[in-house]
Structures are given as structure tokens and as C-alpha cells.
Amino acid sequence: MIKKKLKAETITEYNRSYFVSHNLDLQESRLKKAYGMILEEKPGFLLDIGCGKGDFSSLLIKDGWKVWGTDLDSSIVCDASGKGLNAVVADVAEGLP
């Protein structure tokens, strides 16, 4: 397997242009399905890889989950931390912090 390494600037630009501009919409079938599946479980610990601004994770925190998140963009991680998410800047392709 060949691993393509992306430059942080490219990833940051992609995050800002795509993910950050979208608000969380639980009507999206994948998010709604994932949310429902998670809520079927007893609240515990959850790792949100690519947590973005923490919108999805903040819903789970309100439901009693202890959520940690990772993202590549430090400014996005700062936003997520402001929503109560334990978030860190990390590239999971390089390993977890």
C-alpha cells in the first residue's frame, strides 16, 4: 500500500473549503444512522476521528458520552474544544497521540 502524504496546508484548505462551511444536519442519512446506532449503546467513551468543529460530538456529550476528537487543523480543534470536546491536533495516519 502506497501512502500519499498530504501537505498540512492542502488539508487545512480542504477542511476550510468543504467541512467547515457545512453545518451539522442530522437529516443526512449517514449521520442520522450513526447517531441512532451510537445512542443504542450505553454511554461510554468515543473517539471522533476528523471531529471538525465538534458539532456531532457535542450532541453525544449532551447524551452522556465522553468524547475525544482529533482533526488536522488547529483552528478547527480550537472550535471543537470550545464545545466541550477533548480535541487534539493529530494525523491518525501517523498514529494516535
Side-chain angles (χ1 to χ4, degrees):
M1 179 174 163
I2 298 174
K3 188 175 174 183
K4 184 178 178 184
K5 185 137 176 128
L6 298 175
K7 293 182 180 179
E9 296 83 22
T10 304
I11 293 166
T12 299
E13 289 171 8
Y14 180 78
N15 280 341
R16 287 192 179 133
S17 67
Y18 184 75
F19 292 110
V20 176
S21 64
H22 291 77
N23 291 326
L24 178 67
D25 181 5
L26 281 181
Q27 298 306 314
E28 288 184 42
S29 62
R30 286 183 285 169
L31 283 177
K32 190 173 183 178
K33 183 175 181 178
Y35 186 66
M37 290 172 67
I38 292 168
L39 291 183
E40 289 176 3
E41 301 295 326
K42 178 181 168 190
F45 298 95
L46 187 126
L47 174 60
D48 186 353
I49 298 172
C51 65
K53 297 186 297 180
D55 294 334
F56 188 72
S57 293
S58 66
L59 293 174
L60 296 170
I61 290 168
K62 290 176 185 173
D63 290 321
W65 288 83
K66 292 175 180 60
V67 184
W68 280 263
T70 66
D71 207 293
L72 296 168
D73 188 329
S74 60
S75 64
I76 292 174
V77 166
C78 191
D79 290 342
S81 295
K83 293 179 181 173
L85 179 63
N86 298 305
V88 296
V89 176
D91 182 349
V92 295
E94 302 295 323
L96 293 171

